[in-house]
């Protein structure tokens, strides 16, 4: 049987992150990926690789969601970068109009190149409209601090507290990704799952962040959930898959590497 994995996210033109990384991950994990584009991000090689950001028209996003969901009736969806309050409104309304087994939200907050004034509105809209619909949410340290209303997160206990505060806003499962941001030799993620805390560890691979790791982690979780795994197993597989992709990362002319899991 073919398993459908669905993603609503932004296009990232180098292919390292966003929808391109999501669909690649879905295929590598044996699912049929279906994608809806919310915005287009093109890094600018002539301006310090700043993010150029263009939102897709709300009606076009709604049309894509209609086409994808009527065709395939997916019951698991990943939500990646949305980017504007209008897009958040459109996606939230579409999500509310169907029943989902899982809504995996990677709460991509601000992207360089967006208007600073719009950022707070976008954060608030995501918190108010998308978070309550999520079953699983995968913030990095910055996103977790913002959504939890906390200052710097520096210890495993801080990550656990942030996860608890975010879970209070709706999702059953919260994975706060420490990445290379916590001191020590390991990349640590704290998983809050219906009140139970567990800690995932993998050795850090260098000290630099690798583009697309967060997207791939949430996409791999989504693919595994779509195939029927329970949340704890889905997250553990996603952690291993992402770690492998960081080890076999792709270098390019950009000043950052991209996560590159090999099948
Ligand atoms: O990695 C976060 C991310 C997600 N989605 C899109 C992006 C980025 C980072 O650049 O461009 C579309």
């Amino acid at each position: 049987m073919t398993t459908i994995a669905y993603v609503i996210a932004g296009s990232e033109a180098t292919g390292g992150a966003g929808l391109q990384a999501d669909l690649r991950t879905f295929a590598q994990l044996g699912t049929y990926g279906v994608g809806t584009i919310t915005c287009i991000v093109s890094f600018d090689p002539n301006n310090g690789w700043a993010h150029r950001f263009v939102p897709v028209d709300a009606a076009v996003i709604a049309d894509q969601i209609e086409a994808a969901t009527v065709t395939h009736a997916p019951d698991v969806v990943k939500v990646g970068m949305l980017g504007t309050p209008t897009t958040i409104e459109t996606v939230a309304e579409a999500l509310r109009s169907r029943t989902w087994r899982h809504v995996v939200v990677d709460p991509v907050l601000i992207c360089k190149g967006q208007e600073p004034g719009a950022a707070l509105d976008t954060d608030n809209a995501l918190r108010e409209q998308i978070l309550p619909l999520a079953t699983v949410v995968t913030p990095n340290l910055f996103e977790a601090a913002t959504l939890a209303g906390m200052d710097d997160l520096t210890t495993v206990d801080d990550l656990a507290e942030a996860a608890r505060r975010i879970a209070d806003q709706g999702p059953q499962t919260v994975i706060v990704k420490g990445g290379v941001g916590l001191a020590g030799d390991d990349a640590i993620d704290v998983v809050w799952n219906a009140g139970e805390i567990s800690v995932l560890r993998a050795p850090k691979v260098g000290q630099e962040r690798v583009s697309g790791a967060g997207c791939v982690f949430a996409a791999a979780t989504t693919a595994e959930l779509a195939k029927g795994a329970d949340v704890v197993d889905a997250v553990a597989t996603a952690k291993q898959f992402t770690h492998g992709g960081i080890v076999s990362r792709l270098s390019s002319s950009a000043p950052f590497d991209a996560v590159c899991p090999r099948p």
Side-chain angles (χ1 to χ4, degrees):
M1 203 191 72
T2 302
T3 300
I4 303 293
Y6 181 38
V7 57
I8 300 172
S11 164
E12 192 277 88
T14 73
L19 195 80
Q20 290 85 341
D22 294 329
L23 293 176
R24 195 181 308 120
T25 300
F26 288 169
Q28 288 178 333
L29 291 172
T31 61
Y32 182 95
V34 177
T36 287
I37 301 189
T38 55
C39 59
I40 299 172
V41 172
S42 319
F43 300 140
D44 185 351
N46 300 310
N47 180 24
W49 299 85
H51 290 46
R52 293 175 290 200
F53 166 83
V54 180
V56 170
D57 190 78
V60 178
I61 296 171
D63 286 352
Q64 294 176 77
I65 297 174
E66 180 183 37
T69 55
V70 172
T71 303
H72 297 294
D75 66 353
V76 175
V77 59
K78 173 188 159 176
V79 178
M81 184 169 173
L82 298 173
T84 73
T86 305
T87 299
I88 288 171
E89 178 99 32
T90 304
V91 170
E93 194 179 319
L95 291 176
R96 281 193 295 265
S97 73
R98 297 183 62 83
T99 303
W100 301 94
R101 193 159 52 82
H102 277 291
V103 176
V104 178
V105 175
D106 186 15
V108 181
L109 289 180
I110 174 98
C111 159
K112 280 178 270 170
Q114 286 181 257
E115 274 177 58
L120 189 60
D121 287 352
T122 303
D123 294 0
N124 287 336
L126 192 94
R127 191 202 315 272
E128 285 163 17
Q129 301 199 49
I130 300 291
L131 218 48
L133 304 173
T135 58
V136 180
V137 61
T138 62
N140 62 22
L141 286 180
F142 165 74
E143 293 155 354
T146 305
L147 294 174
M150 294 170 68
D151 290 332
D152 271 2
L153 307 178
T154 55
T155 66
V156 170
D157 284 349
D158 291 344
L159 269 58
E161 173 61 15
R164 190 187 63 73
R165 291 189 191 195
I166 295 168
D168 276 350
Q169 301 171 56
Q172 273 200 337
T173 308
V174 181
I175 302 107
V176 179
K177 300 170 294 184
V180 293
L182 293 193
D185 293 333
D186 288 343
I188 295 173
D189 303 322
V190 170
V191 182
W192 167 284
N193 185 40
E196 301 259 316
I197 290 273
S198 55
V199 176
L200 300 175
R201 288 172 191 271
K204 281 183 187 169
V205 187
Q207 289 294 330
E208 293 299 318
R209 296 183 62 188
V210 176
S211 176
C215 301
V216 165
F217 178 77
T221 301
T222 304
E224 292 301 305
L225 290 170
K227 290 191 286 185
D230 71 25
V231 178
V232 170
D233 288 345
V235 166
T237 303
K239 173 87 175 170
Q240 232 180 356
F241 184 79
T242 308
H243 175 75
I246 292 171
V247 171
S248 62
R249 65 181 70 184
L250 183 71
S251 299
S252 64
S253 300
F256 41 79
D257 292 345
V259 66
C260 185
R262 318 276 171 176

